Amino acid sequence: MTTPFPFTAVVGQDDLRLALLLNAVSPAVGGVLVRGEKGTAKSTAVRALSALLPEVAVVPGCRFSCDPAAPDPACPDGPHEPGPGARRAARMVELPVGASEDRLVGALDIERALAEGVKAFEPGLLADAHRGILYVDEVNLLHDHLVDLLLDAAAMGSSYVEREGVSVRHAARFLLVGTMNPEEGELRPQLLDRFGLTVEVAASREPDQRVEVVRRRLAYDDDPDGFAARWAAEEAAVRQRIAAARELLPRVRLGDGALRQIAATCAAFEVDGMRADIVMARTATALAAWAGRTDVLAEDVRQAALLALPHRRRRNPFDAPGLDEDKLDETLEQSAGQDGDGDGDGDDDPGPGGPGGGGVPEPEDGPQGGGDTAARPEAGEGGEPQAAGSREQSAARAAEPFRTKALSVPGIGEGAAGRRSRARTEHGRTTGARRPRGALTKLHLAATVRAAAPHQRARGRSGPGLVVRRDDLRQAVREGREGNLVLFVVDASGSMAARQRMGAVKGAVLSLLLDAYQRRDKVGLVTFRGSAAEVALPPTSSVDAAAVRLESLPTGGRTPLAAGLLKAHEVLRVERLRDPARRALVVVVTDGRATGGPEPVALAGRAARLFAAEAVASVVVDCESGPVRLGLAGRLAGELGGTAVTLDELRADSIAGLVRDVQGNSSRRAA
């Protein structure tokens, strides 16, 4: 077994280590979501924490890690006889991104359940993680239904498996830690709210600290055991401190003054619901216990707010998490002045700092630092004009986004679960049955009974039960929705800048990006202007990144429409190799003009017909305006085999039937 990197040897990242330690002291805090760029020791710190957790006592032979002092009465391996039990180290279980629902929650043997009435249950990762750590790397890339199951189990402390009337429940209490790189896509606000704490991590820009990071990493790689031995004393001290804080936690007093500060802070920042108040209260209590105190002070409340509120301030998909610390301080001072019980005066000694920077930091060292440095600039302010030519214009401000018509890809796909186009999925309405390929996951009961019924006499059935064999089982075929690749091909030429149209165009694309976020799509952005096209954003799950690129998009120059279409075709070709099951929807935003080079219109037509030949679903958003219109965008849509809509028609409250138009054109093309 590989020796883990010592927790106390992690350089910097004080907020990350503190958040992890607080959850180790009080798992009721609700876990940690670690957001940050790649290569910032996120995974290293999480894996190192497991070595600091106290050992747990378990019932020998129990697959669900029941506590011998208080075994779960509903344990599938129970009932358990009283006894001393055995001790083992707390586990850290990793949930891979590609895990199935059965791997996460466990699986029932449906065949034995139907034929023998036996609850034969194979535990999943939630059972393995009970009384330990469940670590989800790249949690933002998990399917939504898996994240829902995961967070439900973490909130309730138990996992339920329901299959065709057969149910199993077992305890599942664990420290949940998720890590993510925001560049690869965001979690939905509803899921963000389910994580107790969040921290933003970034690599240090201080040369001395970076040197120390490299020095320690090289020393660990050369001799892991020797490096761990040099940090053994610090590790033991933190381990003892966690145990002491756990013992002290029930005696910590959360006074009315601190509660008033918590409530006032959540109200001042307009946080939805009451989960933030509860998490702040538990976090402030854990901070006091970690500092060795029995009273919650003002600095505990402040630090709890910095850890528990930033991700709950996200109002729309393109908002970056953050917290205004000046407003926080003002709110705390005002609420402290309204209560005179002394619980929030903050004059007491906050206690010693933890080994390796794990203690309670001073207020000015809060994790958010007065705002998220990753926050995107205001629309129209981030794009400086480039030196490409005298006719180039600076970035235009995007118009206000609106709710768009639903665009979808015709036919039935088999891509990743989402909310856009019809697809065969694991979840959704049942449309039929088939023989299972591999393990049975979703039983079609009626079809199974129909398959078994003709053979009952031949199988010697004598009682009321149904004799079911493996060949009788039928898998339910379900239809739901999939996420698609929405590839935007945006005309940024000089003709689009005329009459101030680019602001409206950006507003429309931003609206479509919001729609793509809600439908769990991947997005890509190709722009064309001057003499060439470029991939402004390769296909990604980060809709936020596309919005940032869109804001800084300048305009000017000629209209190389053919180059833009060919570049988009190349992007789709490469993406099919990477993700062949995900179908594409190409959205071309242009007025249809083509200039520059020999025969630009003919070249654009030939490029468009490549998409039609491959039956790629497409929509042309016609940006032409004015009393005289040439109808070039409609002609382009015909070459693509798609449909054309104006900016006005793109709105959800305008002309109906856009989806039918898209599908109808594709059906006629296929015919």
Side-chain angles (χ1 to χ4, degrees):
M1 183 176 178
T2 305
T3 303
F5 192 91
F7 186 83
T8 51
V10 175
V11 178
Q13 309 297 6
D14 292 348
D15 300 318
L16 168 59
R17 289 188 292 165
L18 177 60
L20 293 172
L21 289 169
L22 292 177
N23 274 271
V25 171
S26 175
V29 166
V32 187
L33 176 64
V34 186
R35 298 164 45 92
E37 58 196 30
K38 52 189 175 293
T40 49
K42 300 188 298 292
S43 301
T44 299
V46 175
R47 294 188 176 101
L49 178 67
S50 61
L52 300 179
L53 297 182
E55 291 185 337
V56 294
V58 297
V59 174
C62 177
R63 297 173 298 167
F64 302 87
S65 302
C66 280
D67 186 349
D72 181 6
C75 176
D77 284 355
H80 298 300
E81 296 294 331
R87 299 193 69 83
R88 63 162 174 79
R91 293 174 180 159
M92 194 199 76
V93 177
E94 294 194 42
L95 175 64
V97 170
S100 65
E101 180 180 339
D102 287 346
R103 184 71 185 98
L104 176 64
V105 301
L108 289 168
D109 188 330
I110 301 295
E111 185 175 2
R112 291 188 62 192
L114 287 175
E116 305 172 28
V118 176
K119 293 182 181 180
F121 181 69
E122 184 66 29
L125 295 176
L126 292 180
D128 293 341
H130 180 45
R131 305 175 68 196
I133 300 174
L134 182 60
Y135 172 47
V136 187
D137 194 15
E138 307 294 355
V139 65
N140 52 324
L141 301 183
L142 275 182
H143 290 312
D144 283 351
H145 75 280
L146 289 183
V147 179
D148 287 331
L149 289 170
L150 180 65
L151 295 175
D152 283 343
M156 296 186 299
S158 59
S159 175
Y160 292 85
V161 181
E162 301 281 348
R163 293 285 170 82
E164 306 298 340
V166 182
S167 63
V168 171
R169 188 208 69 84
H170 65 83
R173 293 183 295 275
F174 46 82
L175 193 168
L176 176 63
V177 183
T179 58
M180 60 175 283
N181 183 347
E183 294 178 356
E184 297 173 338
E186 282 284 0
L187 279 172
R188 293 178 302 173
Q190 299 94 322
L191 299 180
L192 282 172
D193 183 55
R194 301 291 290 275
F195 281 93
L197 309 180
T198 185
V199 290
E200 296 277 344
V201 296
S204 172
R205 299 298 183 257
E206 293 293 329
D208 291 343
Q209 194 171 73
R210 296 175 74 95
V211 166
E212 186 61 22
V213 169
V214 175
R215 181 181 290 119
R216 292 187 187 183
R217 185 69 209 189
L218 293 178
Y220 170 77
D221 291 341
D222 289 342
D223 183 9
D225 293 333
F227 184 82
R230 292 195 291 275
W231 290 89
E234 288 84 351
E235 293 282 287
V238 174
R239 191 177 297 110
Q240 293 171 3
R241 189 173 175 190
I242 292 174
R246 284 186 172 186
E247 291 184 8
L248 182 62
L249 186 65
R251 304 197 300 273
V252 175
R253 186 176 71 94
L254 183 64
D256 289 344
L259 276 173
R260 186 177 297 278
Q261 287 185 315
I262 290 171
T265 300
C266 292
F269 284 98
E270 301 179 354
V271 177
D272 294 334
M274 295 298 297
R275 184 175 285 117
D277 304 63
I278 296 170
V279 170
M280 275 189 64
R282 290 172 174 166
T283 305
T285 303
L287 280 161
W290 177 246
R293 289 184 273 102
T294 57
D295 287 316
V296 174
L297 305 180
E299 58 261 30
D300 299 327
V301 176
R302 186 184 194 278
Q303 184 65 53
L306 292 172
L307 293 172
L309 296 187
H311 59 305
R312 295 183 168 91
R313 289 281 297 147
R314 190 178 170 94
R315 287 296 180 211
N316 67 63
F318 300 147
D319 286 343
L323 207 64
D324 185 340
E325 292 196 42
D326 291 336
K327 181 178 179 180
L328 173 61
D329 291 335
E330 181 181 348
T331 301
L332 292 174
E333 290 176 5
Q334 290 177 353
S335 57
Q338 296 172 2
D339 192 279
D341 67 358
D343 288 320
D345 57 11
D347 292 331
D348 291 353
D349 182 5
V360 180
E362 293 298 321
E364 60 267 24
D365 293 332
Q368 299 305 324
D372 192 319
T373 57
R376 63 189 183 93
E378 290 296 319
E381 295 178 1
E384 293 296 330
Q386 302 172 6
S390 59
R391 298 185 63 187
E392 183 171 306
Q393 302 182 25
S394 60
R397 180 183 295 272
E400 190 70 21
F402 52 85
R403 190 165 64 90
T404 67
K405 286 285 189 184
L407 306 175
S408 67
V409 178
I412 300 178
E414 295 183 346
R419 299 179 181 177
R420 184 173 294 279
S421 304
R422 295 172 57 199
R424 285 180 284 271
T425 61
E426 287 294 316
H427 298 270
R429 63 185 181 91
T430 300
T431 59
R434 60 171 173 80
R435 291 181 180 273
R437 305 186 193 101
L440 178 71
T441 56
K442 301 289 183 182
L443 178 74
H444 194 296
L445 184 58
T448 299
V449 171
R450 285 197 300 269
H455 308 291
Q456 296 305 294
R457 182 174 296 179
R459 293 173 183 174
R461 173 185 169 186
S462 59
L466 189 69
V467 181
V468 179
R469 294 181 179 172
R470 176 70 186 175
D471 289 344
D472 302 326
L473 299 179
R474 294 296 182 268
Q475 174 85 26
V477 176
R478 301 194 175 191
E479 183 179 306
R481 294 280 170 176
E482 67 178 359
N484 298 112
L485 166 61
V486 181
L487 182 61
F488 294 94
V489 186
V490 180
D491 184 349
S493 65
S495 65
M496 293 290 288
R499 303 184 184 92
Q500 303 299 315
R501 278 184 287 165
M502 203 59 197
V505 169
K506 285 188 176 183
V509 177
L510 189 62
S511 303
L512 290 166
L513 284 172
L514 282 165
D515 182 68
Y517 171 86
Q518 294 164 354
R519 298 181 188 277
R520 319 309 294 164
D521 294 316
K522 290 178 72 172
V523 296
L525 179 61
V526 172
T527 64
F528 56 95
R529 54 187 290 274
S531 60
E534 65 172 344
V535 181
L537 183 72
T540 175
S541 297
S542 178
V543 176
D544 304 58
V548 172
R549 303 292 174 88
L550 179 69
E551 283 184 353
S552 59
L553 179 66
T555 58
R558 293 183 175 179
T559 312
L561 178 57
L565 294 174
L566 291 173
K567 181 66 73 174
H569 187 267
E570 175 64 16
V571 169
L572 292 184
R573 186 189 67 80
V574 174
E575 192 63 19
R576 283 194 203 101
L577 299 175
R578 295 174 177 169
D579 193 356
R582 189 181 292 268
R583 297 185 296 163
L585 173 64
V586 177
V587 180
V588 184
V589 185
T590 181
D591 57 10
R593 289 179 171 83
T595 60
E599 299 183 341
V601 176
L603 284 175
R606 286 199 292 270
R609 287 191 289 274
L610 292 175
F611 293 86
E614 296 174 1
V616 177
S618 59
V619 176
V620 177
V621 179
D622 184 358
C623 302
E624 192 174 30
S625 62
V628 179
R629 303 197 180 194
L630 303 178
L632 298 175
R635 192 180 308 168
L636 175 63
E639 298 278 8
L640 287 166
T643 188
V645 295
T646 65
L647 290 175
D648 290 336
E649 291 170 346
L650 191 61
R651 294 179 179 272
D653 54 358
S654 64
I655 299 174
L658 177 59
V659 178
R660 291 194 298 272
D661 289 343
V662 176
Q663 295 175 339
N665 277 296
S666 299
S667 300
R668 288 192 295 273
R669 183 174 66 243

